[in-house]
Amino acid sequence: MTGYNPQLDANGKLQHLLTIEGLPREIVLHILDTAHSFLSVGEREIKKVPLLRGKAIFNLFFEASTRTRTTFEIAAKRLSADVINLNVGTSSQSKGETLLDTVANLSAMHADMFVVRHSQSGAAHLIARHVAPYIHVINAGDGRHAHPTQGLLDMFTIRHYKKEFTTLRVAIVGDVLHSRVARSQIHALTTLGVPEVRVIGPRTLLPSNVAELGVHVYHDMAAGLRDVDVVIMLRLQNERMNGALLPSAQEFFKYYGLTPEKLGNAKPDAIVMHPGPMNRGIEIESSVADGRQSVILPQVTFGIAVRMAVMSILAGNA
Amino acid sequence: MKIQIRGGRVVDPGSGLDRVQDIFVAAGKVTGLGGAPSGFHANRVIEAAGLIVCPGLVDLSARLREPGYEYKATLESEMAAAVAGGVTSLVCPPDTEPPLDEPGLVEMLKHRARSLNQAHVYPLGALTQGLKGERITEMAELLDAGCIAFSQADAPLIDNQVLLRAMQYASTFGYPVWLRPRDASLGRDGVAHDGQVATRLGLAPIPAIAETVALSTILLLVRETGAKVHLCRLSTADGVDMVRQAKSLGINVTCDVSANQVHLSEMDIGYFDSNCHLVPPLRSLRDREAVRRGVQDGTVDAICSDHTPVDEDAKQLPFGESEAGATGLELLLALTLKWAAEAKIPLPAALAKVTSGPAKILDIGAGALSPGVNADLCVFDPQARWKVEPAALKSQGKNTPFAGYDMLGKVRFTLVQGQVVYEG
Amino acid sequence: MSSLPDAEDLLARLADRMRASVTPDTALVGIHTGGVWLAHRLHKALALSQPLGTIDVSFYRDDYGSRGLHQKVRPSNIPFEVVDADIVLVDDVLYTGRTIRAAMNELFDYGRPKSIRLAALIDRGGRQLPISAQFVGAEIAVARDEQIELRKNEKDQLSLAVSPVGAA
């Protein structure tokens, strides 16, 4: 099993996008550079290019998500692809059809690409292992493991505002333990040479081995944000209060919510990011979310361009 | 049937015997070692030059999947797998469907197994009814039906009050209790060891303390009740240390580890290989090293296969949803030899871990090769190279983390009660 | 093989040929990469007032299916109103005509121009589509197994070079 990379074909070209971990730096940069060109497509009247005309992209969302699915759908349509949306969670899965059977049935319908979101870590890898060689798989989020397109669009955002990765301090704040977005961001930041990546949160919300991912751990947000160039806030889910991980949203906000005061510890030109959707007043105060340092809305636009880049690179790699 | 096994290297770890000589079998027993008993005329001569002749392997955990899980495996396939692996005695856990908490079920299982004329099957009875951890089972009845000890299988450590009383009850009669140290709540939703791999792959973690917290409870209750306890499937460095310490303090416990834990670690999960989804989970390299050292220094009394056939559908799922377990009866010998070669352990000491060691825990007269004992033998070629091919396994479970591994050591003949039940 | 003409000379010749046919409102659009270099120089030489456009046709190529996405894609930038514009596409080498077809398709996704003409420094023949250039620097025959390309040195001076196809 070791030694081979399931995302790359025999020639080292990207066959699937499953996780940023193990992606060569050149491929990450290629995606970001290509996304840059797709941004300009989004700025003109006709936001389409004919690249993926005739290709069928199936959105296989075993875990519901309107936002992410919509972004992928827009990206695919701007590439002139045909998009089929399947909220599988409500149909065949509940009828007891196995994950792989669902995928096999859909492959028989001449799919060219699957965009997969699933509540279990490793689901995208499993699907990629079993699809026909001409089908590409994009992981739109699997359990706690990875959300590579989010990680890439976050890098695109950082590069857009900060230009250079190798001089930055980046802080990721909140529930890293349960966050596939955080894991993808950490891999991307280290791959791109960001010298200091920090995670900030209570011990209950940080994985016990998180330092081995190459990050500095902080429990005190003021110290963690000091002199930081990029602040990434993670969403806190309600369930965390049930698992004895946190006492209340209020206490979380007090210690780890991003307020103008806490943001003041970072550099004056620091940018504030959030993968969305935001819980205003829980992880981030509205004045910051809507403030001049926030780049949360541009992240969404960048997300479409990045996904167009990923799809067009994959579909072009035979 | 009178059988002469000629010219093999006879290794009996229990007695220290290690000599090239003949073995003579008649009426189901070993009747002679070295020179033929007077008047012995062999019906069959097995040429064993260059081969090792040792007691048939005693496997402390092999799931046969009957009753209840016949779609995963049946007695026919799994008993065939056992003798193909040189296993002549095996213990099966009580987590069948329904669990082995009724004498009738145990009798049926023993009867079925006996009728196949292959390995001896020693069922573990459920410690509590339905394995639910609430009411104790009729242990005396179950023992009469053929159970050799009582266990909760992989069900987590139940209500301590119930556990205490179950151990007290069992110790009244001297019934052994086999327990897998697993806390009921720590890491209860976990699927992988709480280490760097689970962190990177986003797999729900099972911390080492899930084992050690339970282990410390068990050891204290052993001291309290005097119950005879065997600890199943240790996996952590700290756990092995705790047992080592307990033994040095004179606490009467034994323990085993699965062959999977001897060789693999969390690193083998790779890209979510569900064949590495095991219970207990594959732990860190440091834990694996401690397990190996524990086997070497005697803290760990036995290596078992923890044979658990799983149907392909249940493995071809995302890691966390897949069913845990690995097939292993046919690999126990080769894996033990592999460990011995890597750790530079002499053959008799290595074989002890799968013959005399487990036999002593079971307190059955197996795992030995002196005249008068049952002729349960394993004859294997220590030089034979083979590759693990799941499709070629006799077990219905093809789920092995060792697929594609090169092995050294293959069973050529297995005898149970003097009958050749496998020829490879 | 006869020696190649000087690119700077050809550029001057091309500008001369275009001068009478363009107005200050003519919009130049250079095709990456050589076409963009030329368009910059022509824009200055012809004193055009419309801002210069650049396009990268990677997203409109007809060989995506066989060769995949080009390794280096640059953003296209059309800073003027395409609707009703008189556009002159600028490319360094006109060969099969496929790049021009892609460029026109891309331009039409910006709007409906009034007219599109083509200025090419070199026309090497070998058309596979019904495309022609209204302004040409020179016609040069190039063998099928060779390619001709425009190069720019650190002093921004242009030159032509011929090399075997597939050479780095």
Side-chain angles (χ1 to χ4, degrees), chain A residues 30 33-34 36-38 40-41 44-46 48-52 311-313 315-316, chain C residues 58-61 64-76 106 108-110:
Chain A
H30 182 215
D33 291 338
T34 307
H36 187 50
S37 295
F38 280 115
S40 59
V41 170
R44 56 182 210 207
E45 182 78 33
I46 298 199
K48 271 192 190 223
V49 297
L51 271 180
L52 263 55
M311 288 180 177
S312 54
I313 290 171
Chain C
S58 299
F59 298 153
Y60 290 81
R61 295 176 65 97
Y64 170 74
S66 54
R67 297 178 60 186
L69 195 62
H70 198 243
Q71 264 303 108
K72 210 149 176 53
V73 178
R74 262 165 277 249
S76 297
E106 182 161 352
F108 269 85
D109 275 349
Y110 281 86

Side-chain angles (χ1 to χ4, degrees), chain C residues 1-5 140-143 146-148 160-164:
Chain C
M1 232 264 274
S2 50
S3 60
L4 290 171
I140 300 181
V142 179
E146 286 181 323
Q147 61 193 11
I148 182 168
L160 287 169
V162 171
S163 54

Side-chain angles (χ1 to χ4, degrees), chain B residues 99-103 125-132 134-142 149-152 166 169 175:
Chain B
L100 296 178
D101 61 1
E102 286 251 320
L127 185 66
T128 60
Q129 288 176 25
L131 291 172
K132 290 210 188 86
E134 292 160 10
R135 304 178 58 147
I136 54 182
T137 49
E138 294 177 308
M139 295 188 207
E141 300 283 335
L142 287 169
F150 300 93
S151 143
Q152 277 291 100
Y169 187 80
Y175 299 154

